[in-house]
Structures are given as C-alpha cells and as structure tokens.
Amino acid sequence: MTLTKADLVQQVYKNHEGLTKAQATDSVEAFLRISKNSLINGSDLLLSGFGKFNVKDKNARRGRNPQTGAELTLEARRVVTFKPSGILRDKINAS
C-alpha cells in the first residue's frame, strides 16, 4: 500500500482536533513546498528520526540503448538520494 498526499492530510486532520481539513491540507502542502525548495536549491534535508535527503551531482557518462545496442551519452544531472536514520532502519527491520 502506498501512502499518498491525501492520506497524509487525512492523518494530520485526524490527529489534530483543532485543525480544519483545509488547515491540515495547507500544513502538508507547506511542509512539502519547503522540502522541495530546499532540495531544488541544493541543500540537504535532515529529518531527525526519519532520514536525510541529499542532492548529488552525477557526471556525464557513456551509456547504451539495451534494445538497439546504440551508444549514447547520458548528460550530467542532479539526483536526490535518501538515507534512512538508524532509528527508522531498526524499526523497519524489527517488524
């Protein structure tokens, strides 16, 4: 089962009685917007007890189309990686 943004909004709404559904939606949207902007600007995102999102630069490299065998050049790019915290890793492996 995949946890969606709508599921996150629902959980925030259920766990915080003082919030309306619109406020819960705004809260989740604000968190995601701040997180995305941080990564877009090249900053790492560290969530204690959860993990760390890193932005890494990949160099250009030679690649190959597996269907045709034709060689091509894969351009340099930036990728986001995630490393779970030890706490999260332990909880996942305990279940």
Side-chain angles (χ1 to χ4, degrees):
M1 184 176 129
T2 301
L3 182 67
T4 65
K5 192 187 317 184
D7 295 334
L8 286 174
V9 169
Q10 188 64 30
Q11 288 296 320
V12 169
Y13 177 65
K14 285 167 73 175
N15 293 328
H16 296 84
E17 294 178 13
L19 289 181
T20 65
K21 192 115 181 199
Q23 290 171 325
T25 302
D26 290 343
S27 299
V28 171
E29 291 286 346
F31 172 74
L32 294 174
R33 183 176 53 254
I34 292 166
S35 300
K36 285 190 272 189
N37 288 338
S38 172
L39 294 170
I40 289 168
N41 293 330
S43 300
D44 293 345
L45 176 63
L46 175 64
L47 302 172
S48 295
F50 185 72
K52 185 174 183 178
F53 294 88
N54 295 67
V55 178
K56 293 187 177 185
D57 293 316
K58 294 260 191 168
N59 293 326
R61 61 187 175 92
R62 288 186 308 161
R64 186 175 58 81
N65 182 333
Q67 287 184 327
T68 64
E71 289 204 7
L72 51 105
T73 301
L74 300 171
E75 296 180 11
R77 60 196 172 112
R78 296 169 76 196
V79 296
V80 177
T81 61
F82 176 73
K83 182 176 181 187
S85 72
I87 296 168
L88 178 61
R89 196 174 324 116
D90 291 343
K91 286 184 179 182
I92 289 170
N93 290 324
S95 55

